[in-house]
Amino acid sequence: MSNFPLAGLKVLDFSRVVAGPYATRMMSDLGAEVLKVEPPEGDVTRKLYTEKGKASGYYQQLNIGKRNISVDLKADGARELIHKLVAEADIVVENFRPGVMDKFGVGWDDLSKVNPRLVMLSISGYGQDGPERKKAAYAPVLHAEVGLIARQAEMSRGHPTDIQFAMADSYSSLHGIIGILSALRVLDQTGEGQHIDLAMLNVLHSADDYAHFALDDQWPKQPETLVWEAPEDRQILITGDMKWMWIMFSTQDGLPDPTPEGADIPTKVRMRREAMEDHIRSHESFEALTETLDRLNLAWGEVHPFGPAVYEQPSIDHLGTVVDVTDENGNARRTVQSPYRFSKSKSGIDSNSKTLKRGAENVAALQDWLGMDEAAINALLETKALIAE
């Protein structure tokens, strides 16, 4: 018997890009059997940020470990095939615009009749039935509309630009998993499945630890987590209240107060900050500086340039953050591991995990899930309900 926490669960994954695929990747890492139902044109991330003819690391990171069939929902027999798969599934995940699944006869109303125990997660920008339900919603759009981009620009005194992290998508995937697991618990108690309508707009506002400032119509004070120039042409972030940093440097590290008697508060802040800047740079080495900060119990982190070096820190190997895998073209690649570490259960992918080509398991998956024979599969290939790459 498998000791992966979600072993035995079957997931049909209609989702694309990040919001949804990240949730199903994590469920796969936790032991669920995830069958990605990919459209004929493929998930757009297959060819995103990659060289021609090379498998996309972006797609690999979000989809490795999943099984894959390719289905054209517009073709004859496609709806019936999906209904048969749903009858065997525990979970369906999709992130189409509201109404798209219904148009093809595979929305919640249709699928819940096929399988009353089904748990279905629908991720959208603004919810399934709201006034903006038809609006296109990618992560940067949501980041702009919840005020995140403007807030970051004002607090950094920079030009408004999107954060380089699909926060709306990733957070929605994680909240989607919470919703799914909650619905599965209700299913255990009542025998009834349910639909989860998850709006990315709600997710971002829920997760925003600055929300109370906006609700109270207050502008948050400037952050006091600061990046400083450090020895050896490196940069370091020291987090914490600047007043507390000054107290520690002046009382525990011998830094003299440069401010004249009677100086006003802005002058004191400016001169003490300048003194701390000089003091931080004056250490003979970066290591000497970090030893001082550790002795003063000040939290710090080096500002690493984005690139392979961020995966060369001491804790990376210990935590198993990176794993060697094989991409869809058979090339050795690296990708990131899921973060779950259980005292008894297993999780994650291993070096045998692979990224599959679109439709790679049209035959094997349908035989395993439905016991479908070769003639029935060939019939679906002829109508192009099933697409083989």
Side-chain angles (χ1 to χ4, degrees), residues 265-279:
I265 290 177
T267 300
K268 284 185 177 182
V269 170
R270 176 181 57 80
M271 295 186 71
R272 288 175 178 177
R273 177 184 165 85
E274 290 171 353
M276 286 192 289
E277 287 176 343
D278 292 341
H279 184 61

Side-chain angles (χ1 to χ4, degrees), residues 74-190:
K74 298 186 294 291
D76 290 342
R79 180 178 60 184
E80 291 76 15
L81 173 62
I82 297 303
H83 285 194
K84 289 176 182 177
L85 290 168
V86 166
E88 302 299 321
D90 301 289
I91 300 159
V92 167
V93 177
E94 63 93 9
N95 64 344
F96 289 103
R97 288 195 201 184
V100 170
M101 294 284 281
D102 297 303
K103 182 175 70 173
F104 292 110
V106 291
W108 169 247
D109 288 342
D110 297 293
L111 300 187
S112 60
K113 293 173 185 174
V114 173
N115 183 354
R117 295 177 58 85
L118 183 70
V119 169
M120 182 170 176
L121 169 67
S122 294
I123 299 175
S124 64
Y126 303 92
Q128 296 295 305
D129 57 6
E132 296 181 286
R133 62 187 179 278
K134 298 294 186 182
K135 185 176 178 182
Y138 291 93
V141 174
L142 275 300
H143 299 162
E145 296 212 329
V146 302
L148 180 61
I149 289 176
R151 184 175 80 208
Q152 194 66 25
E154 183 152 349
M155 296 183 82
S156 65
R157 298 184 178 91
H159 182 75
T161 185
D162 190 31
I163 56 173
Q164 295 304 296
F165 168 41
M167 182 182 294
D169 291 336
S170 298
Y171 276 37
S172 294
S173 280
L174 294 175
H175 277 286
I177 294 175
I178 293 170
I180 286 169
L181 296 179
S182 300
L184 288 175
R185 187 168 189 272
V186 175
L187 174 65
D188 287 341
Q189 296 169 338
T190 67

Side-chain angles (χ1 to χ4, degrees), residues 157 221-228 237-251 255 258-259 265-278 280 296 298-299:
R157 298 184 178 91
K221 64 179 180 179
Q222 288 294 340
E224 293 176 326
T225 298
L226 301 170
V227 174
W228 307 78
L237 181 145
I238 308 172
T239 186
D241 183 82
M242 253 195 63
K243 182 177 180 180
W244 177 249
M245 285 176 58
W246 170 255
I247 291 171
M248 296 308 293
F249 278 129
S250 61
T251 64
L255 180 60
T259 58
I265 290 177
T267 300
K268 284 185 177 182
V269 170
R270 176 181 57 80
M271 295 186 71
R272 288 175 178 177
R273 177 184 165 85
E274 290 171 353
M276 286 192 289
E277 287 176 343
D278 292 341
I280 287 168
L296 301 180
L298 293 172

